[in-house]
Amino acid sequence: MDTSGKVIKCRAAVAWEVGKPLSIEEVEVAPPRAHEVRVKIVATGICGTDDHVLKGSFPNIDYPVIPGHEGAGIVESIGEGVTGVKPGDKVIPLCLPQCGECSSCLNPDANCCLKTHLCEPQNLMPDKTSRFTCKGKQIHHFLWISTFSEYTVMPDSTIARIDAAAPLDKVCLLACGFSTGYGAAINTAKVKPGSTCAIFGLGGVGLSVVIGCKTAGASQIIGIDINKDKFTKAKEVGATECINPRDFRQPIQEVLTEMTGGGVDYSFEVVGDVDTMTAALASCHMGSGTCVVIGVPALGSHIPFDPMLLLTGRTWKGSILGGWKTKDSIPKLVSGYMEKKFNPDVLITHTLPFEKINEGFELLCAGKSICVRG
Ligand code: NAD
Ligand code: ZN
Ligand code: ZN
């Protein structure tokens, strides 16, 4: 049935207000306007950031909202002026745009496009209207892509065409979690062969950092988590040892400094907690260590820290979506996946039907899952 130009009725998971579970609703999805694309979402992952949205700790969100930003799908129809994709193309929606025109996009060393949600909220399409309604109410978009809907509309700056042979239920992880962690090691830290690394937080993103450190040839990869159930998988993907901060009396930074004879070359914070951010900085080697912050902290967080940690030569960096320029890089990462250069499939612990999405969040929060998709 040709649906182009028509309103599509489908299921979506709506967050009506902060602190409430998602509710599966029938929504109406309007056709794409100029420079917009409507996509049938085939698979979506659940990332820690979606949980921040449900709990109200992600900045600039308007409720009700359809969250989700780790999806893959097929173009259903395109609006006027869209040239990069056509109906039937396999695509990955980009939670970080690459507009191609702003000072970040023009800088070869930057990837945080100025059209990002952190600069200007993406709760409505660029023309400041929504394509979603439910029970007569306007529903907001999330990061312009809202992948927790069977159909969704996005601007053409936030979509990348991928290999037609790519398995969408697997490559959806490349939309955020895997690319974020892997890129933080490869692009942001630029981990060197023979180096020592410490990864705080072994969820889907942290494990992807482990994979990146291993690929870069690090010789010592220390996984740190307060949930020891995460250790088996971490070792499977490349951690050489794993430790639980709660097993020690000393602060974890002292433990790591002793373990490595002065501190690690690279540390990564993949929890989203200000205390682990400072512990990760203090764990890296004086004079040469680099700490990369990846975790999203609670809204309005501030860090008191000893500036001597920096003065003595450590580097503190942040990384958004692994430093990748998304539109250029996500299709290349999909090709890398197809060529078996890395294997994020091992991160998928559960596959659920869409209507069980709340169960996916429960598994994530109970520490029982790494990546859930449906
Ligand atoms: P997750 O919840 O699956 O993993 C977090 C892990 O941290 C869990 O295993 C948990 O047990 C562990 N943890 C909690 N407290 C800890 C502590 N004090 N010390 C050590 N470990 C601790 O989440 P995820 O999906 O892997 O995402 C991780 C973080 O990365 C989130 O904050 C998410 O919002 C953020 N994120 C950032 C980007 C980016 O572009 N920078 C992209 C995706 C996700
Ligand atoms: Zn994410
Ligand atoms: Zn840009």
Side-chain angles (χ1 to χ4, degrees):
M1 194 179 79
D2 183 15
T3 45
S4 68
K6 298 183 184 134
V7 170
I8 293 180
K9 283 189 179 177
C10 67
R11 292 179 307 167
V14 179
W16 288 99
E17 53 187 299
V18 169
K20 290 271 164 69
L22 290 164
S23 142
I24 304 285
E25 307 281 2
E26 185 181 79
V27 297
E28 293 90 38
V29 187
R33 296 190 184 171
H35 290 286
E36 293 176 2
V37 182
R38 190 161 60 182
V39 174
K40 178 183 196 316
I41 296 291
V42 174
T44 183
I46 301 176
C47 161
T49 303
D50 298 309
D51 189 49
H52 294 318
V53 174
L54 299 194
K55 293 183 174 142
S57 55
F58 197 76
N60 305 331
I61 298 296
D62 292 324
Y63 299 80
V65 59
I66 299 174
H69 65 284
E70 199 176 66
I74 296 170
V75 174
E76 176 269 337
S77 61
I78 56 174
E80 235 174 85
V82 172
T83 53
V85 293
K86 57 179 190 322
D89 281 351
K90 282 191 181 173
V91 289
I92 284 188
L94 306 172
C95 56
L96 177 67
Q98 183 184 346
C99 77
E101 290 164 5
C102 73
S103 50
S104 270
C105 285
L106 295 173
N107 178 348
D109 299 323
N111 78 320
C112 196
C113 172
L114 299 187
K115 291 265 187 298
T116 175
H117 177 77
L118 300 171
C119 302
E120 204 183 310
Q122 299 170 337
N123 305 336
L124 294 168
M125 286 292 106
D127 72 356
K128 306 291 178 215
T129 60
S130 169
R131 301 292 159 267
F132 293 122
T133 49
C134 177
K135 297 174 183 163
K137 280 202 181 110
Q138 171 184 277
I139 309 293
H140 293 95
H141 294 254
F142 173 55
L143 303 182
W144 276 342
I145 57 174
S146 292
T147 63
F148 291 172
S149 179
E150 289 173 321
Y151 285 86
T152 184
V153 176
M154 62 205 65
D156 59 358
S157 59
T158 59
I159 192 164
R161 186 156 58 100
I162 58 165
D163 188 332
L168 297 177
D169 58 342
K170 301 288 188 328
V171 298
C172 62
L173 287 193
L174 303 182
C176 179
F178 178 76
S179 304
T180 295
Y182 182 75
I186 304 277
N187 300 327
T188 313
K190 297 190 170 56
V191 169
K192 289 192 186 136
S195 58
T196 55
C197 302
I199 297 96
F200 289 73
L202 300 171
V205 184
L207 291 177
S208 305
V209 176
V210 173
I211 296 175
C213 293
K214 187 177 178 193
T215 307
S219 56
Q220 192 179 13
I221 303 173
I222 308 168
I224 301 140
D225 204 296
I226 51 171
N227 178 355
K228 65 175 174 25
D229 294 346
K230 304 280 172 139
F231 295 171
T232 313
K233 189 71 93 171
K235 287 183 181 159
E236 201 183 303
V237 299
T240 52
E241 59 227 281
C242 289
I243 54 175
N244 181 345
R246 293 183 176 163
D247 289 342
F248 300 90
R249 281 188 170 193
Q250 295 157 279
I252 192 69
Q253 54 270 39
E254 287 178 19
V255 176
L256 285 162
T257 305
E258 274 173 24
M259 272 173 83
T260 55
V264 295
D265 297 312
Y266 308 96
S267 63
F268 300 86
E269 201 280 351
V270 210
V271 178
D273 179 87
V274 289
D275 292 333
T276 40
M277 288 178 189
T278 34
L281 174 66
S283 304
C284 63
H285 204 288
M286 185 193 282
S288 59
T290 297
C291 172
V292 181
V293 172
I294 303 161
V296 176
L299 209 56
S301 300
H302 290 278
I303 301 186
F305 75 102
D306 178 358
M308 287 304 283
L309 289 168
L310 293 180
L311 192 114
T312 45
R314 293 176 186 84
T315 302
W316 214 357
K317 301 175 102 172
S319 181
I320 190 154
L321 225 122
W324 302 105
K325 281 190 185 289
T326 51
K327 209 170 180 124
D328 296 345
S329 306
I330 301 278
K332 288 184 192 153
L333 284 161
V334 171
S335 306
Y337 171 86
M338 300 299 283
E339 289 158 17
K340 298 192 167 42
K341 287 192 178 151
F342 39 75
N343 183 17
D345 296 1
V346 293
L347 305 181
I348 300 172
T349 51
H350 298 77
T351 301
L352 299 170
F354 183 53
E355 60 275 14
K356 293 202 171 156
I357 194 159
N358 281 317
E359 229 171 85
F361 277 93
E362 283 162 22
L363 287 163
L364 183 80
C365 297
K368 293 205 174 100
S369 76
I370 294 169
C371 290
V372 187
R373 57 169 182 74

